[in-house]
Amino acid sequence: MKLRQRLEKVLPPSMLQYAPRKFEVVGDICILKLRESLFPYASKIGEAFLGAVPGVRVVAVRVGKTTGEERVAPLLVVAGEQRTETVHREHGYLFKVDLSKVYFTTKLSFEHQRVASQVKNGEVVLNMFSGIGGFSIPIAKRANCTVYSVDVNPHAIRYLEENVKLNRVEGKVIPILGDAATFTPPSLVDRVLMPLPLKAYSYLNHAVRIIKKGGTIHYYDVVVEKGGSPLEELKLRVTGRLRELGVDAEVVFSRRMRSIAPRRSLAVLDVKVDGD
Ligand SMILES: C[S@@+](CC[C@H](N)C(=O)[O-])C[C@H]1O[C@@H](n2cnc3c(N)ncnc32)[C@H](O)[C@@H]1O
């Protein structure tokens, strides 16, 4: 039976219009967002998704906002097996993750590949906010390189360590538990990843201290669509800050990745720092 028919069976007609249309599947866990008026029907809605979405064994509802340094939103399992851990496959890479403890989204899958495809053999990379390895694992799989991977969330680092083994990139991805602002790699790096939108800006001073001349920063932030050219404004803001920090920089690539809220989009800048 199709999802719509299943929902029609469990929801009063007046509520049907509020049933979730979008959902995310990570491994075998289906994640829904529900408006509060639907909370009393959560487990019935969960059963409907469980029956209708192929491969799903757990249905969970986000019951709060993404908060805290760890960027994790509270999750409530409403149908299926009582667990929040799963193994997600993305472009052939395996990511073991507990969605109640660490940040992970399937929505970065294109970006993971886009960045990984730029890394060359012999590079030293610093991923300042690695999570469970969404960028670090594909980078290490594709190039003969070293990826220092820092995260402040101990659960993220534990899963990253597991993912290093699962994907057989031992010795190439180096997991480090700690604050990205205080980790200094043993040598200057060719590339710095800064996937912490809204906060990455305040870590630019550290990035310029540890990057080689001619290196690349992958910088993530949120742009507000309020007329004008928000992406151009972001470029000016970031290159301006880098100039203040004594570094000439050129944005060699930029794009809006996706909308994350009304009039708010996630954006990336690839910034080349001066090579003389
Ligand atoms: C948006 S998530 C990263 C997503 C990850 N790169 C991926 O592709 O799946 C941001 C991560 O930054 C970590 N974080 C936040 N503040 C940090 C800090 N000061 N130092 C290191 N990691 C930090 C969080 O724990 C979280 O795992």
Side-chain angles (χ1 to χ4, degrees), residues 46-247:
E47 291 296 337
F49 276 81
L50 201 58
V53 185
V56 166
R57 299 175 82 99
V58 180
V59 180
V61 172
R62 290 272 179 223
V63 286
K65 293 204 163 162
T66 305
T67 54
E69 264 193 325
E70 293 86 3
R71 313 302 303 141
V72 182
L75 199 60
L76 183 70
V77 174
V78 295
E81 297 170 22
Q82 281 295 317
R83 62 176 162 82
T84 47
E85 185 180 80
T86 188
V87 178
H88 181 73
R89 184 180 283 269
E90 180 182 288
H91 296 282
Y93 311 117
L94 297 173
F95 295 113
K96 190 167 180 184
V97 58
D98 186 330
L99 296 166
S100 69
K101 296 194 171 111
V102 302
Y103 176 94
F104 186 77
T105 177
T106 56
K107 294 172 190 157
L108 284 173
S109 83
F110 174 82
E111 186 62 14
H112 291 156
Q113 301 316 306
R114 190 188 73 80
V115 171
S117 69
Q118 296 180 32
V119 179
K120 307 215 170 41
N121 288 339
E123 280 195 21
V124 180
V125 179
L126 171 62
N127 184 353
M128 281 187 155
F129 312 106
S130 70
I132 62 157
F135 286 100
S136 300
I137 300 284
I139 288 174
K141 280 304 260 188
R142 291 177 70 132
N144 197 359
C145 61
T146 304
V147 193
Y148 294 100
S149 303
V150 185
D151 205 287
V152 80
N153 179 349
H155 300 293
I157 292 298
R158 184 168 74 73
Y159 280 102
L160 174 60
E161 285 165 353
E162 282 207 47
N163 291 330
V164 165
K165 288 188 196 133
L166 271 178
N167 293 279
R168 312 187 74 85
V169 285
E170 292 97 332
K172 294 172 83 182
V173 173
I174 318 290
I176 292 137
L177 173 62
D179 182 350
T182 59
F183 172 72
T184 303
S187 62
L188 293 181
V189 303
D190 299 280
R191 194 176 294 275
V192 178
L193 276 61
M194 306 183 75
L196 187 61
L198 293 175
K199 293 214 175 144
Y201 188 84
S202 60
Y203 291 83
L204 280 170
N205 58 343
H206 188 56
V208 300
R209 274 202 295 271
I210 47 97
I211 196 164
K212 284 180 192 167
K213 286 190 169 186
T216 302
I217 297 174
H218 301 281
Y219 176 89
Y220 297 84
D221 215 331
V222 173
V223 291
V224 182
E225 313 288 352
K226 52 175 172 27
S229 309
L231 202 52
E232 293 306 312
E233 285 168 25
L234 180 65
K235 288 183 197 174
L236 288 175
R237 186 163 173 257
V238 171
T239 50
R241 174 68 181 141
L242 290 170
R243 213 168 301 116
E244 271 173 25
L245 293 165
V247 175

